[in-house]
Each structure stands twice: as structure tokens, then as C-alpha cells.
Amino acid sequence: MKITRRQLMGGALGAVLLPAGARAAAPATLRAGPVERQLAPEGYPPTALWGFEGSAPGPEIRLPQNARLERRLVNGLPQATSVHWHGIRIDNAMDGVPGLTQEAVAPGGQFDYAFRLPDAGTYWYHSHNRSTEQVARGLYGALIVEETEGRPEIDAEEVLLLDDWRMTPEAVLSDDFDNLHDRAHGGRIGNYVTTNGRGDWSRTVRRHERLRLRLVNVANARIFELTLLGLEGWIVALDGMPLDRPRPVQETLVLAPAQRADLIVDVTAEAGETAYLVQLTPQGGMSQAAFEVMGQAAKTRRPAPDALPPNPNTGLPGLSGARRLDLRMEGGAMGRLSDAMTVQGPKTIQGLMQEGLVWALNGFAGLPEAPLTEAALGETLRIALINDTAFPHGMHLHGHHFREILPDRLGPLRDTILVDRGERREIALVADNPGDWLFHCHMLGHQAAGMKTWMRVA
Ligand code: C2O
Ligand code: CU
């Protein structure tokens, strides 16, 4: 067949172009794939990781409050994946939980995420499929939602993603992600600690400068215990949500996996000194972030900052008439799993362990078919978190923030709460976001080993 040049061009254009006006810009991509990064100090080879858009950690996503976030996840990994937008009170269909809110995206596949960001604050995104492995390989990034008004007066801001990596002496990521010993104990703890993927994160500052530090614990299992040296300031938000009143940083700041803290700090170290965010370890302290003081910005410090503006619909829940539930954590090393066996029916403890299931919630190991509870939209729930194990657990509820019920008051809004071994803590929440919401331990190996359930809000 013979065709004219005219016909050829017309056909090609017709196939590619939509009529003007019907064109929707394709969303920006968030491509997951292998990357290399100089993670270990200079002199070591770069480490093979997985990241987004060619970088691990993935790119920071920063948008104003109430904006829409749109990203096309493109899976260039050899495994299925998904993205969870941690702490966002999100449309359920965009929550990124395979088996609950979407299918995992197969290698070569893609999925369009699009949702509104109702709350200002410090959030993060991460893989939610095989997350023990995928987050450990680097599939996470910061999601910063900026206040549109009432922004604090600061000189600079830093987002600090705190992580630990388990590496071999050759700076290769150790691939024992499914290690059952880790899972039955404290989870995968790394041997190389970084901030924003660097073992020696630092910047220069001036004395009396005011910084906003947005801290995010992105580690699989490490509980960061932090303190300030040569910096003084306040916690102004936890897990994205502003505190009613800035709280001076006095003692140790504890961040469980997935938790965030927004600090406003003043540089009080002298010019020529170095100020630090310090990680306290059993061996002493180590620099998590260093601030070299070069000169002086002002003679004196500013007055204390105001509270950040509250996010919408974050009032105190009324507790009278709230429905009570228990969530009992069991299993793990030095713990019991016997009750789990009876609920799981035909499965024996050996059978569960062969599947890698060593933790249970309310006697069930793994994601149960029936939800923990079905809440009516707007219902207030009080959930007692009972840690009947020998390890701490950082429990995270999707799609909602909750408050701890303290003897004399309600605690700040959080999306992840650390419950120590043997502890019983009670939380209250208004189930005001419809959908099916995962509720799990954010020590990712614990989650993979059974410590998860879900809630239906309808
Ligand atoms: Cu940050 Cu279910 O996760
Ligand atoms: Cu746990």
C-alpha cells in the first residue's frame, strides 16, 4: 500500500493528540526503582538501594495546606509496591494499603494517587508493600504540608529524616529482611545511622538564629532518643499536628518509628562552636545533626514562639458515651502466642511460625478477615492498648489522629503511639474518616510478623 506524506502525518497526529481542552496534564511521576548512593563514608563503595525518582530517600514533596497532591507511582522495581501517605487524613482509596485499599502495583505497573491535604504539618510517604524490605532499602520521603497562615517566624528550616541501615563491612545493604530472630525481638535495627541519608549531616548557622527542625523517624524499628546541645527550643507539633502550646524541649525527646516532631530552636552555642541534635545511645551520645556556628545573627534571642494554627476538626473528643475496645498485643520472644493459636483454628504455633507469624493482636496473627471494629461515622472510640509482650510497639492507625487519655487530661493528637513492654495506654478518637483503615505496629518486621488489624468506619 502506498500512502502520501499527508496521510501519514495526519494519522500520527490523530493518534497522539486529544482535542484542545480535553488534555489533562499527566501527573508528575513518583518512579520507584533501584538507585545507588554514597551512604557509607567516603572511601567505601556506593550502596545499592531502592528509591523514588532516582534518589533514596525519595524527593521531598512540599505543598500548601488544602492543595491536591497528585503523583503517578510507576513501578520500576522487581517487586510489587504501593505508597502510603503516612499521617494524612486521606481518602481511603488513596491510602496505599495492598489487600485493604488497593492492589499492589506489579513491576512495570502504575497507580495514580490524587488527594487533598487537609492538614498542615510534617508527614512522610513510604512503600506499604513488603515494607520491612522496601522501606529498609530506601523507599520513603518527606511530605511537608505548609501552613497558609500563621507560619512561625524562622530564619531557616530543615527536614531531618532519621534512619538506620544494616550494612555489611563492604557497605552492602544486608538482605536478611525476613530474619525471624529480628522479627520476634525488637525488629531490624541497623548498624549505620543517618540523617537524610548521610552519616555526617551538618550545616552552618549563626548564633541566635531560629530554626524549624522537622524530625521524622523513618527507621524500621529504631526508637530514637534525642536531645539538644547548643540549641534551645520548643516542640510545636507532634505527628504533624500542632500542640496547643509550644512545649520546651527539656528532657529526652523520644521518637518511635514513624513518629514526627516539629521543633523551633534557637542557636545558643557561641560562634566557633558546634551545636548538635544528639542521639542518645547506651554507649553515650552521637551527632545526629551538627550545626557549625559561624558568627552571630542577633545580640539576643527572640521571644518564645506562638503555637502553630490548629488543623481543622481537631477539637477534644467527648468521652461520655464513647465505645470501649481492647487491643491486646501478644507474642514475640519471651512472650506468649498460645491464645493466637486458638483463634486461628486449625493452625498450630509451628504452622504460624513457618509463615513467619510470631505476633498477635487480640489473639489473631496477621490481617484478620473481620475488622477490629465497625465504627459509625462520627462515633467516638476509646481503645485500650495492652502490651502483653516483652518489647515496645509503636502502634499506628491510618486515616485518623487520636489522643491519649491521661489521668488529668487528653494528650496531644498523634497518629503513632509508643506502648512500652507491659504498659497499658488508652487512646480516644473520633472515627470521622470513612473507609477501611489499617492499625498496626510500625516496627515493620512486627507488622509483617502478624501485628496488624483494621477498622471499618462507615
Ligand atoms: Cu507509616 Cu501503615 O504506615
Ligand atoms: Cu511491634
Side-chain angles (χ1 to χ4, degrees):
M1 190 176 69
K2 206 170 170 227
I3 53 169
T4 66
R5 173 165 285 127
R6 227 183 118 101
Q7 285 171 317
L8 180 66
M9 288 182 64
L13 288 174
V16 171
L17 292 184
L18 289 168
R23 271 173 285 152
T29 59
L30 192 61
R31 179 182 296 274
V35 302
E36 292 221 319
R37 175 178 181 120
Q38 187 65 41
L39 199 57
E42 233 180 282
Y44 287 89
T47 302
L49 301 173
W50 289 354
F52 290 108
E53 291 295 301
S55 94
E60 176 182 303
I61 300 176
R62 184 178 283 261
L63 287 164
Q65 184 170 12
N66 286 318
R68 268 178 86 73
L69 189 163
E70 298 189 2
R71 286 291 184 283
R72 173 165 294 170
L73 169 66
V74 180
N75 187 2
L77 301 169
Q79 288 177 5
T81 194
S82 73
V83 176
H84 171 57
W85 312 87
H86 185 115
I88 303 295
R89 298 192 290 172
I90 200 170
D91 298 345
N92 191 240
M94 297 290 124
D95 200 37
V97 181
L100 199 59
T101 68
Q102 69 168 94
E103 292 291 308
V105 180
Q110 59 185 48
F111 186 92
D112 287 350
Y113 291 98
F115 52 92
R116 198 176 65 88
L117 298 162
D119 300 315
T122 301
Y123 304 93
W124 64 301
Y125 63 92
H126 62 80
S127 153
H128 214 297
N129 196 48
R130 297 179 59 112
S131 58
T132 319
E133 170 173 358
Q134 295 193 3
V135 175
R137 287 190 188 269
L139 286 166
Y140 63 76
L143 170 52
I144 305 302
V145 185
E146 294 195 321
E147 297 87 15
T148 50
E149 51 190 46
R151 296 169 69 170
E153 240 186 74
I154 51 168
D155 299 307
E157 172 176 318
E158 293 291 350
V159 179
L160 303 177
L161 304 177
L162 316 182
D163 202 357
D164 64 349
W165 310 77
R166 185 179 293 178
M167 303 216 282
T168 69
E170 294 77 37
V172 174
L173 216 56
S174 36
D175 62 1
D176 57 342
F177 304 106
D178 298 336
N179 184 319
L180 198 59
H181 182 273
D182 287 342
R183 292 188 172 189
H185 291 76
R188 179 184 173 93
I189 303 289
N191 53 6
Y192 186 64
V193 175
T194 60
T195 294
N196 298 346
R198 296 192 58 100
D200 59 351
W201 190 95
S202 76
R203 63 160 285 161
T204 60
V205 292
R206 291 185 298 158
R207 179 166 154 86
H208 291 151
E209 260 186 339
R210 176 162 282 183
L211 312 172
R212 180 178 188 166
L213 303 180
R214 298 176 182 262
L215 311 181
V216 187
N217 182 350
V218 298
N220 266 41
R222 176 178 298 255
I223 300 166
F224 279 90
E225 299 191 4
L226 304 160
T227 192
L228 302 175
L229 198 65
L231 302 169
E232 280 179 48
W234 299 262
I235 303 171
V236 293
L238 289 169
D239 294 352
M241 294 290 180
L243 301 188
D244 301 339
R245 237 179 290 135
R247 183 197 297 169
V249 184
Q250 278 156 343
E251 328 104 33
T252 312
L253 171 62
V254 177
L255 279 190
Q259 288 185 323
R260 288 88 66 211
D262 282 46
L263 309 183
I264 289 186
V265 298
D266 295 338
V267 179
T268 53
E270 305 279 347
E273 293 181 343
T274 303
Y276 294 98
L277 174 69
V278 178
Q279 190 204 163
L280 299 168
T281 64
Q283 294 78 41
M286 53 171 284
S287 170
Q288 190 68 45
F291 302 85
E292 295 159 39
V293 187
M294 315 271 274
Q296 173 161 305
K299 278 240 153 50
T300 53
R301 291 178 61 185
R302 289 189 178 82
D306 293 333
L308 298 171
N311 282 317
N313 306 320
T314 51
L316 297 177
L319 294 184
S320 63
R323 187 152 58 85
R324 289 171 180 259
L325 298 169
D326 282 350
L327 190 65
R328 182 177 296 275
M329 306 163 212
E330 288 174 337
M334 298 164 282
R336 305 176 299 135
L337 203 55
S338 49
D339 296 355
M341 191 180 69
T342 59
V343 179
Q344 231 104 354
K347 283 182 190 166
T348 63
I349 288 186
Q350 272 68 32
L352 287 174
M353 285 186 60
Q354 265 160 26
E355 290 175 48
L357 296 172
V358 294
W359 300 96
L361 293 174
N362 286 359
F364 194 91
L367 193 66
E369 220 158 277
L372 169 70
T373 191
E374 290 191 37
L377 191 64
E379 189 178 5
T380 302
L381 301 175
R382 306 173 59 143
I383 308 177
L385 307 173
I386 303 156
N387 185 345
D388 201 1
T389 81
F391 293 88
H393 302 288
M395 297 299 296
H396 169 49
L397 175 62
H398 284 218
H400 295 77
H401 277 64
F402 49 77
R403 294 179 188 268
E404 184 173 2
I405 303 176
L406 298 165
D408 53 336
R409 67 197 159 91
L410 290 174
L413 285 164
R414 307 236 40 168
D415 60 41
T416 306
I417 181 173
L418 185 61
V419 187
D420 225 329
R421 70 198 78 161
E423 253 184 359
R424 178 189 188 281
R425 320 265 298 259
E426 195 173 12
I427 59 171
L429 69 116
V430 182
D432 57 3
N433 197 357
D436 292 344
W437 302 105
L438 204 64
F439 192 6
H440 64 91
C441 180
H442 220 289
M443 274 80 169
L444 297 173
H446 291 178
Q447 174 198 207
M451 209 172 227
K452 57 182 149 195
T453 185
W454 59 291
M455 249 174 54
R456 173 164 288 165
V457 180

